[in-house]
Amino acid sequence: MTSSSDRSTAVDVKGTYEVRTYGCQMNVHDSERLSGLLEGAGYTRAPEGCDGDADVVVFNTCAVRENADNKLYGNLGRLAPMKTKRPGMQIAVGGCLAQKDRDTIVKRAPWVDVVFGTHNIGKLPVLLERARIQEEAQVEIAESLEAFPSTLPTRRESAYAAWVSISVGCNNTCTFCIVPALRGKEEDRRPGDILAEVEALVAEGVSEITLLGQNVNAYGSDLGDREAFSKLLRACGRIEGLERVRFTSPHPRDFTDDVIAAMAETPNVMPQLHMPMQSGSDTILRAMRRSYRQERFLGIIEKVRAAIPHAAISTDIIVGFPGETEEDFEQTMHAVREARFANAFTFQYSKRPGTPAADMEGQIPKEVVQERYMRLVALQEEISWDENKKQVGRTLEVMVAEGEGRKDGATHRLSGRAPDNRLVHFTKPEGEVRPGDVVTVDITYAAPHHLLAEGPTLSVRRTRAGDAWEKRNAAPVQPQGVMLGIPTLGVPAPLPPAPASGCALPASS
């Protein structure tokens, strides 16, 4: 198989670029594509912290939050004087808010050069060039997907872990979510194409992949195979060199027994599950158009724990959905006590323009939402701490991560992720340890959001993923763009401790 670097061709350097990302994991992965496209077109990445001081600044937007547009226009406004002082500078706006607002962006910020949507991110370099030549803004919003994102060039953010998109769009109609309207109906990628990308990534050193979709376990609905997702997990288990497989985010409606069996029986599928509950009240779930009820949700959790005893299960919860009574909220608290999540991403409901819930009666006063939210957070913190304490005394294999421990320099520690995705800080060994390598440690202390291994590291296993990280960071920066064809190194760093915006909710709706 010809690698992407073998097929790369040098191009003229055009200047620097910066991509600013807002929203869910899908947006993060799209931004890797945008970076790959720009580097393929001859741009080089601007230094970290350039704060708009680049030749091209791209905003990859999210439309989920109520104030998403205000945040965008505030940032665009700060760039306006900079663009005046910098002839030739270009600004592009893409993503969900661009798909939603279209011509409004150029009317409110006429200094924007390009507006593109979620379905045509591959057009960005062409639109930038057209705007430069014609000296006027280019607005191009496709109504349907032009090319599956994974066929586009990619600048992966990690050398050892990578996102792999298996589907785009969503067929659900959750009343709090605008994503289906902006990303369209679900379109599944062929299993052979997915596995070919995974194999190519592993060949370049990646050892962890995260399968990504708006509703990842509905995969197969577009292919006519209800067991396609469990088959895909098992197929990933047969790829030599692939050590860790994760996926996000599933929907309880589509979470079937064959998926649980595939997770339990495939050694490299990690004992971790992010399962969005949203509410524990059957009344609110019905108003949300979530097609399961509390009993069904807790039944799935029980089955997963029976099959995978050490599984760490996380969730999303919305507090203060329109019409939520104190009794409804107590049902959510009850479900949280029963489920005993390792952690929960909790959100105070806010109106999301364009969603049915925004116009519902029974909007809850902010002070009531805040009070309920604080009670829920306090309960989940207690449960998270209790569940983490159960890890004390266990011996775990930890994949060393890059940039996960903000205090590592001061504490002489390194950080990484356990198989169940818990964050572990461990004593720095005497020898060299690289991101992507795997260490074995004994857990000695637990906090609500991390574990500590304060004793000596039991073993260090140097990996091909660590080699890939070392190679990437040792190589001089090349001015020419690359990556036409098979995607290059990478995946996500492990999931962040909390989504940057509520887009992670509807991404799993």
Side-chain angles (χ1 to χ4, degrees):
M1 180 179 293
T2 304
S3 72
S4 56
S5 58
D6 290 336
R7 289 190 284 178
S8 302
T9 55
V11 294
D12 293 333
V13 177
K14 294 183 177 179
T16 58
Y17 76 89
E18 176 190 4
V19 178
R20 301 187 187 183
T21 309
Y22 305 94
C24 66
Q25 298 94 334
M26 190 67 76
N27 268 21
V28 173
H29 190 34
D30 283 349
S31 288
E32 291 185 329
R33 306 290 179 195
L34 293 170
S35 295
L37 286 160
L38 290 170
E39 293 190 8
Y43 295 91
T44 57
R45 192 174 192 175
E48 291 293 330
C50 70
D51 195 23
D53 189 17
D55 296 294
V56 171
V57 179
V58 183
F59 291 88
N60 189 11
T61 64
C62 170
V64 220
R65 291 300 188 191
E66 187 176 14
N67 64 348
D69 55 346
N70 293 333
K71 187 171 185 178
L72 170 66
Y73 293 118
N75 286 322
L76 290 175
R78 284 189 285 275
L79 287 187
M82 190 177 297
K83 189 178 183 195
T84 301
K85 297 176 183 177
R86 185 169 186 156
M89 178 182 179
Q90 290 186 294
I91 300 172
V93 179
C96 290
L97 192 63
Q99 187 79 21
K100 174 176 169 285
D101 287 353
R102 306 173 182 246
D103 295 333
T104 305
I105 294 173
V106 174
K107 290 177 182 177
R108 291 186 59 177
W111 54 93
V112 168
D113 299 277
V114 170
V115 178
F116 62 101
T118 59
H119 297 310
N120 62 331
I121 64 175
K123 288 288 187 67
L124 176 59
V126 172
L127 294 172
L128 287 169
E129 190 64 21
R130 192 184 301 164
R132 191 188 316 277
I133 293 170
Q134 297 182 6
E135 297 184 343
E136 64 179 10
Q138 302 295 308
V139 178
E140 188 170 306
I141 306 291
E143 297 301 328
S144 59
L145 194 66
E146 293 187 349
F148 204 93
S150 290
T151 64
L152 301 173
T154 307
R155 185 197 190 280
R156 302 278 183 174
E157 292 300 318
S158 169
Y160 55 89
W163 304 111
V164 175
S165 182
I166 70 171
S167 65
V168 293
C170 182
N171 293 337
N172 293 312
T173 58
C174 302
T175 55
F176 56 78
C177 178
I178 199 171
V179 166
L182 302 180
R183 290 194 177 266
K185 293 293 184 181
E186 180 176 328
E187 293 189 42
D188 293 334
R189 194 174 170 201
R190 293 189 304 172
D193 292 340
I194 296 168
L195 295 172
E197 180 179 356
V198 174
E199 289 170 349
L201 288 166
V202 171
E204 294 193 10
V206 167
S207 60
E208 176 180 316
I209 60 123
T210 300
L211 302 174
L212 184 63
Q214 305 289 159
N215 179 7
V216 71
N217 63 318
Y219 177 75
S221 63
D222 189 40
L223 302 172
D225 184 354
R226 292 181 59 84
E227 295 189 354
F229 186 60
S230 62
K231 292 175 183 176
L232 183 62
L233 290 177
R234 292 182 187 276
C236 287
R238 294 190 290 270
I239 297 177
E240 186 176 352
L242 180 58
E243 297 193 17
R244 296 186 173 191
V245 177
R246 306 186 191 277
F247 58 88
T248 194
S249 286
H251 190 296
R253 182 194 69 183
D254 302 299
F255 206 84
T256 50
D257 290 349
D258 63 295
V259 173
I260 298 174
M263 291 177 65
E265 296 165 10
T266 309
N268 65 356
V269 175
M270 293 294 95
Q272 173 216 352
L273 175 63
H274 182 74
M275 178 73 80
M277 182 175 74
Q278 309 300 11
S279 174
S281 162
D282 289 355
T283 300
I284 296 302
L285 288 170
R286 191 175 297 110
M288 289 177 167
R289 290 191 202 145
R290 302 287 285 183
S291 54
Y292 55 89
R293 300 297 175 255
Q294 183 191 112
E295 183 178 4
R296 156 79 171 151
F297 184 90
L298 293 177
I300 294 172
I301 301 300
E302 185 177 354
K303 287 182 179 180
V304 170
R305 290 226 165 93
I308 315 167
H310 288 302
I313 302 173
S314 57
T315 196
D316 295 334
I317 301 173
I318 302 174
V319 177
F321 189 82
E324 182 187 75
T325 64
E326 181 63 22
E327 182 181 357
D328 292 323
F329 178 69
E330 283 299 333
Q331 284 297 307
T332 294
M333 297 284 275
H334 169 74
V336 168
R337 292 186 188 100
E338 290 294 311
R340 300 199 63 81
F341 299 112
N343 59 75
F345 302 143
T346 51
F347 303 88
Q348 297 185 43
Y349 173 79
S350 61
K351 288 185 178 182
R352 288 151 187 189
T355 63
D359 299 321
M360 285 183 176
E361 296 181 358
Q363 302 287 328
I364 310 299
K366 183 169 180 58
E367 60 272 17
V368 175
V369 177
Q370 175 70 16
E371 190 271 338
R372 291 175 183 170
Y373 174 80
M374 295 305 294
R375 282 157 56 195
L376 175 61
V377 168
L379 173 62
Q380 183 56 52
E381 287 279 301
E382 178 184 332
I383 293 172
S384 294
W385 200 356
D386 285 345
E387 292 301 305
N388 275 2
K389 287 175 183 176
K390 295 176 183 178
Q391 306 300 310
V392 174
R394 292 188 66 195
T395 300
L396 300 177
E397 281 198 337
V398 176
M399 182 178 289
V400 182
E402 185 175 24
E404 290 261 27
R406 288 172 295 187
K407 299 179 181 178
D408 282 351
T411 58
H412 302 289
R413 293 179 181 138
L414 296 175
S415 300
R417 294 281 170 169
D420 64 9
N421 210 38
R422 282 183 165 94
L423 178 62
V424 179
H425 304 300
F426 60 93
T427 303
K428 187 175 181 180
E430 291 185 7
E432 180 189 24
V433 181
R434 308 159 303 176
D437 287 341
V438 175
V439 300
T440 304
V441 297
D442 287 333
I443 303 302
T444 58
Y445 175 81
H449 302 292
H450 68 266
L451 304 173
L452 286 182
E454 299 167 297
T457 300
L458 303 180
S459 67
V460 176
R461 177 164 60 87
R462 292 175 66 86
T463 65
R464 292 173 61 252
D467 294 342
W469 180 89
E470 187 173 22
K471 180 179 179 182
R472 170 185 282 199
N473 286 272
V477 176
Q478 298 295 325
Q480 66 267 22
V482 294
M483 299 172 297
L484 300 177
I486 299 172
T488 60
L489 297 179
V491 178
L495 291 177
S501 93
C503 197
L505 277 79
S508 56
S509 60

